[in-house]
Amino acid sequence: PLGTGTSTPTTQRFRGSFLGYPVRNQWRTVTLTVRNGYYQPVAGANVRISGAGVRIVSKRTGTGGKVSFRLRATRYPGRVAFRVTKLSFTAATYYRSVRAR
């Protein structure tokens, strides 16, 4: 019967790809493209950055699944975490290592 509520909801997984690296004590733009399992862009996903001395900032992906952060990492060695969340998706964390120069 319908509406019994015994089935578990299906969840999708994120696939992330980067453009750019954080560099110690320099302002850099790092772009993350978020896609689903079928490589389609995911719009409206919440992306939160933290770690390596960067300010914690949250943004949402656009219609093309892209989100850009202008960040300045102050800790080296270190890494910046990109936490991606959205309803009906399994949350994912992607890391980008800080470069010296």
Side-chain angles (χ1 to χ4, degrees), residues 5-98:
T6 58
S7 65
T8 58
T10 59
T11 58
Q12 301 183 62
R13 291 189 170 230
F14 290 115
R15 293 181 183 268
S17 60
F18 284 98
L19 188 64
Y21 274 89
V23 177
R24 179 185 59 172
N25 292 329
Q26 291 184 7
W27 287 98
R28 290 294 166 103
T29 300
V30 179
T31 302
L32 173 65
T33 303
V34 179
R35 298 180 183 274
N36 62 13
Y38 301 103
Y39 292 97
Q40 298 166 326
V42 177
N46 189 40
V47 182
R48 180 179 187 257
I49 62 167
S50 62
V54 301
R55 287 182 302 159
I56 296 174
V57 177
S58 292
K59 290 186 179 182
R60 291 196 183 272
T61 56
T63 55
K66 292 187 179 189
V67 61
S68 294
F69 294 95
R70 188 166 182 264
L71 53 90
R72 181 174 175 251
T74 58
R75 274 186 283 180
Y76 174 82
R79 60 188 188 169
V80 179
F82 294 78
R83 178 83 170 160
V84 184
T85 56
K86 186 174 180 173
L87 283 176
S88 76
F89 280 85
T90 301
T93 305
Y94 300 101
Y95 296 97
R96 203 67 164 155
S97 296
V98 177

